[in-house]
Amino acid sequence: MAALEKATGDVVFKFEPFVLHVLCRELQDAQLLHSVAVDSGFKNSGITVGRGGKIMMAVRSTHCLEVPLSHMGKLMVSEEYIEFLLHVANQKMEEN
């Protein structure tokens, strides 16, 4: 909390979703992995084929969180709310 109180700009609490990139030899391999990922709850997953024929499968979670905490040096939330955000982010990490 002391660091937040000393901040002079904007502070944002951010939790990024899980992302796993897998280079696949064959398109069929990527399609199979994509099906497994989507069926497992990773709804933002996708397949990309590059110019050189490189097949990349990205397994992406939807668990993200971005919350402003301060604006122009003024803390906009309570310490209790920050503890709540930490709890929520830790739950999302477990789900990942």
Side-chain angles (χ1 to χ4, degrees):
M1 285 301 293
L4 282 174
E5 292 168 0
K6 293 178 184 177
T8 58
D10 294 352
V11 175
V12 176
F13 182 92
K14 192 170 187 179
F15 178 84
E16 295 283 340
F18 167 81
V19 179
L20 172 68
H21 290 100
V22 180
L23 184 61
C24 299
R25 289 186 182 171
E26 303 290 333
L27 184 57
Q28 294 83 355
D29 298 331
Q31 290 170 328
L32 177 61
L33 182 56
H34 181 263
S35 294
V36 170
V38 170
D39 290 346
S40 297
F42 296 99
K43 305 295 184 200
N44 287 345
S45 299
I47 300 169
T48 304
V49 180
R51 290 183 195 162
K54 200 178 348 178
I55 303 165
M56 186 68 66
M57 167 55 201
V59 179
R60 294 187 196 100
S61 168
T62 57
H63 303 311
C64 61
L65 183 65
E66 188 170 347
V67 181
L69 300 179
S70 71
H71 179 65
M72 295 174 50
K74 182 180 182 216
L75 188 60
M76 305 300 287
V77 298
S78 67
E79 186 172 346
E80 180 182 3
Y81 186 69
I82 293 171
E83 289 174 14
F84 170 73
L85 288 176
L86 289 172
H87 176 73
V88 170
N90 285 333
Q91 281 182 320
K92 289 178 181 293
M93 179 66 86
E94 289 290 325
E95 291 171 13
N96 273 336

